[in-house]
Structures are given as C-alpha cells and as structure tokens.
C-alpha cells in the first residue's frame, strides 16, 4: 500500500491548513488512516486518525482545531486544521494500518512527509 499526500507548504498563523492523502489501489481495506507529525529533535506525535467506521482520535495539541474525514470509496483521508500557530510547523506524514485497532505508533504504512511551515 502506498500513501500519497498533498497539501502543506507555507501557512500564515491564524489561518487554515488542509492536507489530503490517497491510498494506492489495493484489495485490502486500510482499517485506520491518519496523520502524524514530527519536528526535528522531537518525538513523533499523532495529529489525527480515523477508522473505516468513522471513529476518530485527535492529538491533544490539535483538539478543537482539527477535523479529519475519510472517503472509503476513494481511499482518501483529509485533515483540516484551523487557527494554526508556529508550533504546528512540522513534517506531516500520512500513515495507516490494515488493523483498525492498531495504535498510531505502530502504523505499518507511512507516506513521504510533507513540510508545513506556519509563519507568524
């Protein structure tokens, strides 16, 4: 399974960010998909994840600001985040696993990261 991300780049503080990720065609359904992010020198963290049943989970740092959605038919997951701050600057990774019960730290599949820079 390959995950292709789009979006990111430079965002003004206080603005909105939209990231999309599409999974390559596969006979297998990816049980859970989501976004992780990492700042150099810091630990990777969960931004948001969503299962095929629509069950969502958000990282503490983005709760109330982020919304994740999923189109199972097209294998696409979209993250929208409002009120971004410079602290949201990071490399964002689309990731997922066939097992919807998997913890985000064990996701089997991960796409190439996309850099998001929030300017103040």
């Amino acid at each position: 399974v390959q995950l292709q991300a789009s979006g990111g780049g430079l965002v003004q503080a206080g603005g909105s960010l939209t990231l999309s990720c599409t999974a390559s065609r596969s006979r297998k359904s990816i049980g859970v998909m989501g976004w992780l992010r990492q700042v150099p020198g810091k630990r990777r963290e969960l931004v948001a994840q969503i299962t095929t049943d629509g069950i969502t989970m958000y990282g503490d740092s983005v709760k109330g600001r982020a919304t994740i959605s999923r189109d199972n038919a097209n294998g696409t997951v979209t993250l929208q985040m409002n009120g971004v701050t410079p602290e949201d600057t990071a490399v964002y990774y689309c990731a997922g696993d066939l097992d919807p019960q998997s913890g985000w730290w064990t996701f089997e599949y991960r796409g190439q990261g996309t850099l998001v820079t929030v300017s103040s």
Side-chain angles (χ1 to χ4, degrees), residues 46-50 56-69 79-80:
L46 171 70
V47 180
Q49 66 178 58
I50 184 169
T56 59
M57 181 183 296
Y58 294 92
D60 290 340
S61 60
V62 303
K63 282 182 180 177
R65 301 189 295 125
T67 301
I68 189 169
S69 59
L79 174 73
Q80 182 163 3

Side-chain angles (χ1 to χ4, degrees), residues 34-113:
W35 291 91
L36 314 177
R37 69 184 184 184
Q38 188 167 22
V39 176
K42 295 188 177 181
R43 300 175 70 173
R44 189 173 301 157
E45 64 174 350
L46 171 70
V47 180
Q49 66 178 58
I50 184 169
T51 69
T52 51
D53 294 333
I55 299 172
T56 59
M57 181 183 296
Y58 294 92
D60 290 340
S61 60
V62 303
K63 282 182 180 177
R65 301 189 295 125
T67 301
I68 189 169
S69 59
R70 181 170 180 168
D71 182 341
N72 290 326
N74 294 318
T76 301
V77 62
T78 300
L79 174 73
Q80 182 163 3
M81 191 184 313
N82 301 318
V84 297
T85 72
E87 286 67 39
D88 293 313
T89 296
V91 177
Y92 286 70
Y93 298 91
C94 179
D97 200 283
L98 298 181
D99 183 357
Q101 301 297 322
S102 292
W104 61 267
W105 56 93
T106 65
F107 282 175
E108 182 174 359
Y109 306 109
R110 192 180 74 189
Q112 291 186 338

